[in-house]
């Protein structure tokens, strides 16, 4: 089974509007971390935001917030006030905290295009 | 702040040649990962090291090997290169936290773009 599922291959948003990128995950581990990364066309992977499974509040980092619904196993990324520079691939990832290995699991990504 | 350093940024090799990619993790990070990302693909985990010991192995071909040295830098050695090895190779590092103390994010280098002709 897929550990991370991103069901939106591509999304479009008008500049200055908010957009939600979906991510669902699958784990039986009580301790895990969820991450979002941005990959612009230049290729680098930029860490955006992190949510721990024990965190009581949704994570926020500037214009990024994570809508964490533990019971639904979803960790959607919300980008407010979209900017042209937000156009990129966005990857959701997870690491299980008690995993004896060190793997991070990535989703297949969502390509976001911000329209002027 | 110091980031993950990868070299070279670009590499062009011919089929059946060898290549060595280098990675310098963020200081004090004890875990290093290698990922391969093909065009339009998500990153595929190859291998990881914790405190210089191999800790996990993913879809790394037998033609590839990696190690982490005493100064924590890591090298990915690729032999008998094939056209399909053309990809962006990322190194990433993180801090391994004891279980129950949270999970540290992966910090990626800028990647090495390998082209095999």
């Amino acid at each position: 089974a897929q550990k991370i599922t991103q069901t939106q291959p591509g999304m479009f948003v008008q500049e200055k509007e908010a957009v939600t990128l979906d991510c669902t995950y699958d784990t039986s581990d009580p301790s895990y971390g969820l991450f979002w990364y941005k990959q612009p066309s230049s290729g680098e992977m930029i860490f955006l935001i992190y949510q721990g499974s024990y965190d009581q509040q949704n994570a926020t980092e500037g214009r990024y917030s994570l809508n964490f619904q533990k019971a639904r196993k979803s960790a959607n990324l919300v980008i407010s006030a979209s900017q042209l520079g937000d156009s990129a691939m966005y990857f959701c990832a997870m690491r299980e905290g008690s995993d004896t290995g060190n793997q991070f699991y990535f989703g297949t990504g969502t390509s976001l295009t911000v329209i002027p | 702040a110091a980031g993950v350093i990868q070299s070279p940024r670009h590499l062009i090799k011919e089929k059946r040649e060898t290549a060595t990619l280098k990675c310098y993790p963020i200081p004090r990070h004890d875990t290093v990962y290698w990922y391969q990302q093909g065009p339009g693909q998500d990153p595929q985990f190859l291998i990881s090291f914790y405190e210089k010991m191999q800790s996990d192995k993913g879809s790394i071909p037998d033609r590839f090997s990696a190690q982490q040295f005493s100064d924590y830098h890591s090298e990915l050695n690729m032999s008998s290169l094939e056209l399909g090895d053309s990809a962006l190779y990322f190194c990433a590092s993180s801090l391994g936290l004891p279980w129950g103390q949270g999970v540290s994010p992966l910090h990626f280098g800028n990647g090495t773009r390998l082209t095999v002709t």
Side-chain angles (χ1 to χ4, degrees), chain B residues 5-86:
Chain B
I5 308 292
Q6 285 188 252
S7 66
R9 289 296 306 274
H10 302 274
L11 192 57
I12 300 174
K13 291 286 185 177
E14 294 187 355
K15 281 196 309 184
R16 292 180 288 277
E17 285 192 318
T18 61
T20 297
L21 310 186
K22 294 188 178 182
C23 168
Y24 294 83
I26 292 172
R28 297 195 311 277
H29 278 194
D30 50 21
T31 310
V32 168
Y33 305 76
W34 286 97
Y35 282 85
Q36 177 192 58
Q37 187 180 28
Q41 305 289 315
D42 53 297
Q44 296 296 309
F45 171 70
L46 294 178
I47 195 167
S48 64
F49 294 87
Y50 173 70
E51 284 291 345
K52 294 163 280 185
M53 299 289 288
Q54 182 184 309
S55 63
D56 209 350
K57 205 169 182 180
S59 51
I60 185 169
D62 291 340
R63 299 177 289 108
F64 294 8
S65 65
Q67 55 183 325
Q68 188 176 26
F69 295 87
S70 57
D71 64 351
Y72 288 89
H73 95 272
S74 179
E75 294 184 2
L76 178 65
N77 298 294
M78 309 157 73
S79 62
S80 302
L81 287 168
E82 301 173 357
L83 296 178
D85 296 329
S86 295

Coordinates of all heavy atoms in Angstrom, one line a residue, chain B residues 5-86:
Chain B
I5 N 25.7 20.2 0.9 CA 26.5 20.5 -0.3 C 26.7 19.3 -1.1 O 27.1 18.3 -0.6 CB 27.9 21.1 0.1 CG1 27.8 22.2 1.1 CG2 28.7 21.5 -1.2 CD1 27.2 23.5 0.5
Q6 N 26.3 19.4 -2.4 CA 26.5 18.3 -3.3 C 27.4 18.7 -4.5 O 27.4 19.9 -4.9 CB 25.2 17.8 -3.9 CG 24.3 17.0 -3.0 CD 23.1 16.4 -3.6 OE1 22.0 16.9 -3.4 NE2 23.4 15.4 -4.5
S7 N 28.3 17.8 -4.9 CA 29.1 18.0 -6.1 C 29.2 16.8 -6.9 O 29.2 15.7 -6.3 CB 30.5 18.6 -5.6 OG 31.2 17.6 -4.9
P8 N 29.4 16.9 -8.2 CA 29.2 18.2 -8.9 C 27.7 18.5 -9.1 O 26.9 17.7 -8.8 CB 29.9 17.8 -10.3 CG 29.6 16.3 -10.4 CD 29.7 15.8 -9.1
R9 N 27.4 19.6 -9.7 CA 26.1 20.0 -10.0 C 25.5 19.3 -11.2 O 24.4 18.9 -11.3 CB 25.9 21.5 -10.2 CG 26.1 22.3 -8.9 CD 25.0 22.0 -7.9 NE 23.6 22.2 -8.4 CZ 23.0 23.3 -8.4 NH1 23.5 24.4 -8.0 NH2 21.7 23.3 -8.9
H10 N 26.4 19.2 -12.2 CA 26.1 18.5 -13.4 C 27.2 17.5 -13.8 O 28.4 17.8 -13.5 CB 25.9 19.5 -14.6 CG 24.8 20.5 -14.3 ND1 23.5 20.3 -14.6 CD2 24.9 21.8 -13.8 CE1 22.8 21.4 -14.2 NE2 23.7 22.3 -13.7
L11 N 26.8 16.4 -14.4 CA 27.8 15.4 -14.8 C 27.3 14.7 -16.0 O 26.1 14.3 -16.1 CB 27.9 14.4 -13.6 CG 29.1 13.4 -13.7 CD1 30.4 14.1 -13.7 CD2 29.0 12.5 -12.4
I12 N 28.1 14.6 -17.0 CA 27.8 13.9 -18.2 C 28.8 12.7 -18.4 O 30.0 12.9 -18.3 CB 27.9 14.8 -19.5 CG1 26.9 16.0 -19.3 CG2 27.6 14.1 -20.7 CD1 27.0 17.1 -20.4
K13 N 28.2 11.6 -18.5 CA 29.0 10.4 -18.7 C 28.5 9.5 -19.8 O 27.3 9.7 -20.2 CB 28.9 9.5 -17.4 CG 29.6 10.1 -16.2 CD 31.1 10.0 -16.3 CE 31.8 10.5 -15.0 NZ 33.3 10.3 -15.1
E14 N 29.4 8.7 -20.3 CA 28.9 7.7 -21.3 C 28.5 6.4 -20.7 O 28.9 6.1 -19.6 CB 30.0 7.6 -22.4 CG 30.3 8.8 -23.2 CD 31.3 8.6 -24.3 OE1 31.8 7.5 -24.4 OE2 31.5 9.6 -25.0
K15 N 27.8 5.6 -21.5 CA 27.4 4.3 -21.0 C 28.6 3.5 -20.6 O 29.7 3.6 -21.3 CB 26.6 3.6 -22.2 CG 25.2 4.0 -22.3 CD 24.4 3.0 -23.1 CE 25.0 2.6 -24.4 NZ 24.2 1.8 -25.2
R16 N 28.4 2.7 -19.6 CA 29.5 1.8 -19.1 C 30.6 2.6 -18.3 O 31.4 1.9 -17.7 CB 30.1 1.0 -20.2 CG 29.1 0.0 -20.7 CD 29.7 -0.9 -21.8 NE 29.9 -0.2 -23.0 CZ 29.0 0.1 -23.9 NH1 27.8 -0.4 -23.8 NH2 29.3 0.7 -25.0
E17 N 30.5 3.9 -18.2 CA 31.5 4.6 -17.4 C 31.1 4.6 -15.9 O 30.0 4.0 -15.6 CB 31.6 6.0 -17.9 CG 32.4 6.2 -19.2 CD 32.7 7.7 -19.4 OE1 31.9 8.5 -19.2 OE2 33.9 7.9 -19.9
T18 N 31.9 5.1 -15.1 CA 31.6 5.2 -13.7 C 31.5 6.7 -13.3 O 32.0 7.6 -14.0 CB 32.7 4.6 -12.8 OG1 34.0 5.3 -13.0 CG2 32.9 3.1 -13.2
A19 N 30.8 6.9 -12.2 CA 30.6 8.2 -11.7 C 30.6 8.2 -10.1 O 30.2 7.2 -9.5 CB 29.2 8.8 -12.1
T20 N 31.1 9.3 -9.6 CA 31.1 9.4 -8.1 C 30.5 10.7 -7.7 O 30.9 11.8 -8.2 CB 32.5 9.3 -7.5 OG1 33.1 8.1 -7.8 CG2 32.5 9.6 -6.0
L21 N 29.5 10.7 -6.9 CA 28.8 11.9 -6.5 C 29.1 12.1 -5.0 O 29.2 11.1 -4.2 CB 27.3 11.7 -6.6 CG 26.7 11.3 -8.0 CD1 25.2 11.3 -8.0 CD2 27.3 12.1 -9.1
K22 N 29.3 13.3 -4.6 CA 29.7 13.6 -3.2 C 28.7 14.5 -2.5 O 28.0 15.3 -3.1 CB 31.1 14.4 -3.2 CG 32.2 13.5 -3.8 CD 33.6 14.2 -3.5 CE 34.7 13.3 -4.0 NZ 36.0 13.9 -3.8
C23 N 28.6 14.3 -1.2 CA 27.7 15.0 -0.4 C 28.3 15.3 0.9 O 28.9 14.5 1.6 CB 26.4 14.1 -0.2 SG 25.3 14.7 1.1
Y24 N 28.1 16.6 1.3 CA 28.5 17.1 2.6 C 27.3 17.5 3.4 O 26.7 18.5 3.1 CB 29.5 18.2 2.5 CG 30.8 17.8 1.8 CD1 30.9 17.7 0.5 CD2 31.9 17.4 2.6 CE1 32.1 17.3 -0.2 CE2 33.1 17.0 2.0 CZ 33.2 16.9 0.6 OH 34.3 16.5 0.0
P25 N 26.9 16.7 4.4 CA 25.7 17.0 5.1 C 25.8 18.3 6.0 O 26.9 18.8 6.2 CB 25.4 15.8 6.0 CG 26.8 15.2 6.2 CD 27.6 15.6 5.0
I26 N 24.7 18.7 6.5 CA 24.7 19.8 7.4 C 25.4 19.4 8.7 O 25.2 18.3 9.2 CB 23.2 20.2 7.8 CG1 22.6 20.8 6.5 CG2 23.2 21.2 8.9 CD1 21.1 21.1 6.7
P27 N 26.3 20.3 9.2 CA 27.0 19.9 10.4 C 26.1 19.5 11.6 O 25.1 20.0 11.8 CB 27.8 21.3 10.8 CG 27.9 21.9 9.5 CD 26.7 21.6 8.7
R28 N 26.5 18.4 12.2 CA 25.9 17.8 13.4 C 24.7 16.9 12.9 O 24.1 16.3 13.8 CB 25.4 18.8 14.4 CG 26.5 19.6 15.1 CD 26.0 20.3 16.3 NE 24.8 21.0 16.1 CZ 24.8 22.3 15.6 NH1 25.9 22.8 15.2 NH2 23.6 22.9 15.5
H29 N 24.4 16.9 11.7 CA 23.4 15.9 11.2 C 24.0 14.6 11.1 O 25.1 14.4 10.6 CB 22.8 16.3 9.8 CG 21.7 17.4 9.9 ND1 20.9 17.7 8.8 CD2 21.3 18.2 10.9 CE1 20.0 18.6 9.2 NE2 20.3 18.9 10.4
D30 N 23.3 13.6 11.7 CA 23.9 12.3 11.8 C 23.4 11.2 10.8 O 23.8 10.1 10.8 CB 23.7 11.7 13.2 CG 22.3 11.8 13.7 OD1 21.4 11.9 12.8 OD2 22.1 11.8 14.9
T31 N 22.4 11.7 10.0 CA 21.8 10.7 9.0 C 21.9 11.4 7.6 O 21.6 12.5 7.4 CB 20.4 10.5 9.4 OG1 20.3 10.1 10.7 CG2 19.8 9.3 8.5
V32 N 22.4 10.5 6.7 CA 22.5 11.0 5.3 C 21.7 10.0 4.4 O 21.7 8.8 4.6 CB 24.0 11.0 4.8 CG1 24.1 11.1 3.3 CG2 24.7 12.1 5.5
Y33 N 21.0 10.6 3.4 CA 20.2 9.8 2.5 C 20.6 10.2 1.1 O 21.0 11.3 0.8 CB 18.7 10.2 2.6 CG 18.1 10.2 4.0 CD1 18.4 11.1 5.0 CD2 17.2 9.1 4.4 CE1 17.8 11.0 6.3 CE2 16.7 9.1 5.6 CZ 17.0 10.0 6.6 OH 16.4 9.9 7.8
W34 N 20.4 9.2 0.2 CA 20.5 9.4 -1.2 C 19.2 9.1 -1.9 O 18.6 8.0 -1.6 CB 21.6 8.5 -1.8 CG 23.0 9.0 -1.5 CD1 23.8 8.5 -0.5 CD2 23.8 10.0 -2.2 NE1 25.0 9.2 -0.5 CE2 25.0 10.1 -1.5 CE3 23.5 10.8 -3.3 CZ2 26.0 11.0 -1.9 CZ3 24.5 11.7 -3.7 CH2 25.7 11.8 -3.0
Y35 N 18.8 10.0 -2.8 CA 17.6 9.8 -3.6 C 17.9 9.9 -5.1 O 18.7 10.7 -5.4 CB 16.5 10.8 -3.2 CG 15.8 10.5 -1.9 CD1 16.3 10.9 -0.7 CD2 14.6 9.8 -1.9 CE1 15.7 10.6 0.5 CE2 13.9 9.5 -0.7 CZ 14.5 9.9 0.5 OH 13.8 9.6 1.7
Q36 N 17.1 9.2 -5.9 CA 17.2 9.4 -7.3 C 15.8 9.9 -7.8 O 14.8 9.3 -7.5 CB 17.5 8.0 -7.9 CG 17.5 8.0 -9.5 CD 17.6 6.6 -10.0 OE1 16.7 5.8 -9.7 NE2 18.6 6.2 -10.8
Q37 N 15.9 10.9 -8.6 CA 14.6 11.4 -9.2 C 14.7 11.5 -10.7 O 15.4 12.3 -11.2 CB 14.3 12.8 -8.6 CG 12.9 13.3 -9.0 CD 12.6 14.7 -8.4 OE1 13.5 15.5 -8.1 NE2 11.3 15.0 -8.1
G38 N 13.9 10.6 -11.3 CA 13.8 10.7 -12.8 C 12.9 11.8 -13.2 O 12.2 12.4 -12.4
P39 N 12.9 12.2 -14.5 CA 12.1 13.3 -15.0 C 10.6 13.0 -14.7 O 10.1 11.9 -15.0 CB 12.4 13.2 -16.5 CG 13.7 12.5 -16.7 CD 13.8 11.5 -15.6
G40 N 10.0 14.0 -14.1 CA 8.6 13.9 -13.8 C 8.2 12.8 -12.7 O 7.0 12.5 -12.5
Q41 N 9.2 12.4 -12.0 CA 9.0 11.4 -11.0 C 9.2 11.9 -9.6 O 9.8 13.0 -9.4 CB 10.0 10.2 -11.1 CG 10.0 9.6 -12.5 CD 8.7 8.8 -12.8 OE1 8.3 8.0 -11.9 NE2 8.1 8.9 -13.9
D42 N 8.7 11.2 -8.6 CA 9.0 11.6 -7.2 C 10.3 11.0 -6.8 O 10.8 10.0 -7.5 CB 7.9 11.1 -6.2 CG 7.6 9.6 -6.4 OD1 7.2 9.2 -7.5 OD2 7.8 8.9 -5.4
P43 N 11.0 11.5 -5.8 CA 12.3 11.0 -5.4 C 12.2 9.5 -4.9 O 11.3 9.2 -4.2 CB 12.7 11.9 -4.2 CG 11.8 13.1 -4.4 CD 10.6 12.7 -5.0
Q44 N 13.1 8.7 -5.4 CA 13.1 7.3 -5.0 C 14.3 7.1 -4.1 O 15.4 7.4 -4.4 CB 13.3 6.4 -6.3 CG 12.1 6.5 -7.2 CD 10.8 6.0 -6.6 OE1 10.8 4.9 -6.1 NE2 9.8 6.8 -6.7
F45 N 14.0 6.5 -3.0 CA 15.0 6.3 -1.9 C 16.0 5.3 -2.4 O 15.6 4.2 -2.8 CB 14.3 5.9 -0.6 CG 15.3 5.4 0.4 CD1 16.1 6.3 1.1 CD2 15.3 4.1 0.8 CE1 17.0 5.9 2.1 CE2 16.2 3.7 1.8 CZ 17.0 4.6 2.4
L46 N 17.3 5.6 -2.3 CA 18.3 4.6 -2.6 C 18.9 4.0 -1.4 O 19.0 2.7 -1.2 CB 19.5 5.3 -3.4 CG 19.1 5.9 -4.8 CD1 20.3 6.6 -5.4 CD2 18.6 4.8 -5.7
I47 N 19.5 4.8 -0.5 CA 20.2 4.3 0.7 C 20.4 5.4 1.7 O 20.3 6.6 1.4 CB 21.6 3.7 0.2 CG1 22.2 2.8 1.2 CG2 22.5 4.9 -0.2 CD1 23.4 2.0 0.7
S48 N 20.6 5.0 3.0 CA 20.8 5.9 4.0 C 21.8 5.4 5.0 O 22.1 4.2 5.1 CB 19.5 6.3 4.8 OG 19.0 5.1 5.4
F49 N 22.4 6.4 5.7 CA 23.5 6.1 6.7 C 23.2 6.8 7.9 O 22.8 8.0 7.9 CB 24.9 6.5 6.1 CG 25.3 5.8 5.0 CD1 25.0 6.2 3.7 CD2 26.1 4.6 5.1 CE1 25.4 5.4 2.6 CE2 26.5 3.9 4.0 CZ 26.2 4.3 2.7
Y50 N 23.4 6.1 9.0 CA 23.2 6.8 10.3 C 24.5 6.6 11.1 O 25.0 5.4 11.2 CB 22.1 6.1 11.1 CG 22.0 6.6 12.6 CD1 21.6 7.9 12.9 CD2 22.3 5.8 13.6 CE1 21.5 8.3 14.2 CE2 22.3 6.2 14.9 CZ 21.9 7.5 15.2 OH 21.8 7.9 16.5
E51 N 25.1 7.7 11.5 CA 26.4 7.6 12.2 C 27.4 6.7 11.4 O 28.1 5.9 12.0 CB 26.2 7.1 13.6 CG 25.7 8.2 14.5 CD 26.7 9.3 14.8 OE1 27.9 9.2 14.5 OE2 26.2 10.4 15.3
K52 N 27.5 7.0 10.1 CA 28.5 6.3 9.2 C 28.2 4.9 8.9 O 29.0 4.2 8.2 CB 29.9 6.5 9.8 CG 30.3 8.0 9.7 CD 31.5 8.2 10.6 CE 31.1 8.4 12.1 NZ 32.3 8.7 13.0
M53 N 27.1 4.3 9.5 CA 26.8 3.0 9.2 C 25.5 3.0 8.3 O 24.6 3.7 8.5 CB 26.5 2.2 10.5 CG 27.6 2.1 11.4 SD 28.9 1.0 10.9 CE 28.1 -0.6 11.1
Q54 N 25.5 2.0 7.3 CA 24.3 1.9 6.5 C 23.1 1.6 7.3 O 23.2 0.6 8.1 CB 24.5 0.9 5.4 CG 23.4 0.7 4.4 CD 23.6 -0.4 3.5 OE1 24.6 -0.5 2.8 NE2 22.6 -1.3 3.4
S55 N 22.1 2.3 7.2 CA 20.9 2.1 8.1 C 19.7 1.6 7.3 O 18.8 0.9 7.9 CB 20.5 3.4 8.8 OG 20.1 4.4 7.9
D56 N 19.6 1.9 6.0 CA 18.4 1.4 5.3 C 18.8 1.4 3.8 O 19.7 2.2 3.4 CB 17.3 2.4 5.5 CG 15.9 1.7 5.4 OD1 15.9 0.6 4.9 OD2 14.9 2.3 5.8
K57 N 18.2 0.5 3.1 CA 18.5 0.3 1.7 C 17.2 0.3 0.9 O 16.2 -0.4 1.3 CB 19.2 -1.0 1.5 CG 20.1 -1.0 0.3 CD 21.0 -2.3 0.3 CE 21.9 -2.3 -0.9 NZ 22.8 -3.5 -0.9
G58 N 17.1 1.1 -0.1 CA 15.9 1.1 -1.0 C 16.2 0.5 -2.3 O 16.8 -0.6 -2.4
S59 N 15.8 1.2 -3.4 CA 15.9 0.6 -4.7 C 17.2 0.9 -5.3 O 17.3 1.3 -6.5 CB 14.8 1.1 -5.6 OG 14.7 2.5 -5.5
I60 N 18.3 0.7 -4.6 CA 19.6 1.0 -5.2 C 20.1 -0.2 -6.0 O 20.1 -1.4 -5.5 CB 20.6 1.3 -4.0 CG1 22.0 1.7 -4.6 CG2 20.7 0.2 -3.0 CD1 22.9 2.4 -3.6
P61 N 20.5 0.0 -7.2 CA 21.0 -1.1 -8.1 C 22.3 -1.7 -7.5 O 23.0 -0.9 -6.8 CB 21.2 -0.5 -9.4 CG 20.5 0.8 -9.4 CD 20.5 1.3 -8.0
D62 N 22.6 -2.9 -7.8 CA 23.8 -3.5 -7.4 C 25.1 -2.8 -8.0 O 26.2 -2.9 -7.4 CB 23.9 -5.0 -7.8 CG 22.9 -5.8 -7.0 OD1 22.4 -5.3 -5.9 OD2 22.5 -6.9 -7.4
R63 N 24.9 -2.1 -9.1 CA 26.0 -1.4 -9.7 C 26.4 -0.1 -8.9 O 27.4 0.5 -9.2 CB 25.6 -1.0 -11.1 CG 25.2 -2.1 -12.1 CD 24.7 -1.6 -13.4 NE 23.4 -1.0 -13.4 CZ 23.2 0.3 -13.5 NH1 24.2 1.2 -13.6 NH2 22.0 0.8 -13.4
F64 N 25.5 0.2 -8.0 CA 25.8 1.4 -7.2 C 26.2 1.0 -5.8 O 25.8 0.0 -5.2 CB 24.5 2.3 -7.0 CG 24.0 2.9 -8.3 CD1 24.5 2.6 -9.5 CD2 22.9 3.8 -8.2 CE1 24.0 3.2 -10.7 CE2 22.4 4.4 -9.3 CZ 22.9 4.1 -10.6
S65 N 27.1 1.8 -5.2 CA 27.4 1.6 -3.8 C 27.6 3.0 -3.2 O 27.8 4.0 -3.9 CB 28.7 0.8 -3.7 OG 29.8 1.5 -4.3
A66 N 27.5 3.0 -1.9 CA 27.7 4.3 -1.2 C 28.4 4.1 0.1 O 28.4 2.9 0.7 CB 26.3 5.0 -1.0
Q67 N 29.0 5.1 0.6 CA 29.5 5.0 2.0 C 29.6 6.4 2.6 O 29.5 7.4 1.9 CB 31.0 4.4 1.9 CG 31.9 5.1 1.0 CD 33.3 4.4 1.0 OE1 33.7 3.9 2.0 NE2 33.9 4.5 -0.2
Q68 N 29.7 6.4 3.9 CA 29.8 7.6 4.7 C 31.2 7.6 5.4 O 31.5 6.6 6.0 CB 28.7 7.8 5.6 CG 28.7 9.2 6.3 CD 27.5 9.4 7.2 OE1 26.9 8.5 7.7 NE2 27.1 10.7 7.4
F69 N 31.9 8.6 5.3 CA 33.2 8.7 5.8 C 33.3 9.3 7.2 O 32.3 9.7 7.8 CB 34.1 9.5 4.9 CG 34.3 8.8 3.5 CD1 33.3 9.1 2.5 CD2 35.3 8.0 3.3 CE1 33.5 8.5 1.3 CE2 35.4 7.4 2.0 CZ 34.5 7.6 1.0
S70 N 34.5 9.2 7.8 CA 34.6 9.7 9.2 C 34.3 11.1 9.4 O 33.8 11.5 10.5 CB 36.1 9.4 9.7 OG 37.0 10.1 8.9
D71 N 34.4 11.9 8.4 CA 34.0 13.3 8.5 C 32.5 13.6 8.1 O 32.1 14.7 8.0 CB 34.9 14.2 7.6 CG 34.7 13.9 6.1 OD1 34.0 12.9 5.8 OD2 35.3 14.7 5.3
Y72 N 31.8 12.5 8.0 CA 30.4 12.4 7.7 C 30.0 12.7 6.3 O 28.8 12.6 5.9 CB 29.6 13.4 8.6 CG 29.5 12.9 10.0 CD1 30.4 13.2 11.0 CD2 28.4 12.0 10.4 CE1 30.4 12.7 12.3 CE2 28.4 11.5 11.7 CZ 29.3 11.9 12.6 OH 29.3 11.4 13.9
H73 N 31.0 13.1 5.4 CA 30.6 13.2 4.0 C 30.3 11.9 3.4 O 30.8 10.8 3.9 CB 31.6 14.0 3.3 CG 32.6 13.2 2.5 ND1 33.8 12.8 3.1 CD2 32.6 12.8 1.2 CE1 34.5 12.1 2.2 NE2 33.8 12.1 1.0
S74 N 29.5 11.9 2.4 CA 29.1 10.6 1.8 C 29.4 10.6 0.3 O 29.4 11.7 -0.3 CB 27.6 10.3 2.0 OG 27.2 9.1 1.4
E75 N 29.6 9.5 -0.3 CA 29.8 9.4 -1.7 C 29.0 8.2 -2.3 O 28.8 7.2 -1.6 CB 31.3 9.1 -2.0 CG 32.2 10.3 -1.6 CD 33.7 10.0 -2.0 OE1 34.0 9.0 -2.6 OE2 34.5 10.9 -1.7
L76 N 28.4 8.5 -3.4 CA 27.6 7.5 -4.1 C 28.4 7.2 -5.4 O 28.7 8.0 -6.2 CB 26.2 8.1 -4.5 CG 25.3 7.2 -5.4 CD1 24.9 6.0 -4.5 CD2 24.1 8.0 -5.8
N77 N 28.8 5.9 -5.5 CA 29.6 5.4 -6.6 C 28.7 4.6 -7.5 O 28.0 3.7 -7.1 CB 30.7 4.5 -6.1 CG 31.7 5.3 -5.2 OD1 32.3 6.2 -5.6 ND2 31.7 5.0 -3.9
M78 N 28.8 5.0 -8.8 CA 27.9 4.4 -9.8 C 28.8 3.8 -10.9 O 29.6 4.5 -11.5 CB 26.9 5.4 -10.3 CG 26.2 6.2 -9.2 SD 25.6 7.8 -9.7 CE 24.2 7.3 -10.7
S79 N 28.6 2.5 -11.2 CA 29.5 1.9 -12.2 C 28.6 1.3 -13.3 O 27.4 1.2 -13.1 CB 30.3 0.8 -11.6 OG 29.5 -0.2 -11.0
S80 N 29.2 1.0 -14.4 CA 28.5 0.5 -15.6 C 27.3 1.3 -15.9 O 26.2 0.7 -16.0 CB 28.2 -1.0 -15.3 OG 29.3 -1.8 -15.1
L81 N 27.4 2.5 -16.0 CA 26.3 3.4 -16.2 C 25.4 3.1 -17.4 O 26.0 2.6 -18.4 CB 26.7 4.9 -16.3 CG 27.2 5.5 -15.0 CD1 27.9 6.8 -15.2 CD2 26.1 5.7 -14.0
E82 N 24.1 3.2 -17.2 CA 23.2 2.9 -18.2 C 22.4 4.2 -18.5 O 22.3 5.1 -17.7 CB 22.2 1.8 -17.8 CG 22.9 0.5 -17.4 CD 21.9 -0.5 -16.8 OE1 20.7 -0.1 -16.6 OE2 22.4 -1.6 -16.5
L83 N 21.8 4.2 -19.7 CA 21.0 5.4 -20.1 C 19.9 5.7 -19.0 O 19.7 6.9 -18.7 CB 20.3 5.2 -21.5 CG 21.3 5.0 -22.7 CD1 20.5 4.8 -23.9 CD2 22.2 6.3 -22.8
G84 N 19.4 4.7 -18.5 CA 18.3 4.9 -17.5 C 18.7 5.4 -16.2 O 17.9 5.8 -15.3
D85 N 20.1 5.5 -16.0 CA 20.6 6.2 -14.8 C 20.5 7.7 -14.8 O 20.8 8.3 -13.8 CB 22.0 5.7 -14.5 CG 22.1 4.2 -14.3 OD1 21.1 3.6 -13.7 OD2 23.2 3.6 -14.6
S86 N 20.2 8.2 -16.0 CA 20.1 9.7 -16.1 C 19.0 10.2 -15.2 O 17.8 9.8 -15.4 CB 19.8 10.1 -17.6 OG 20.9 9.7 -18.4

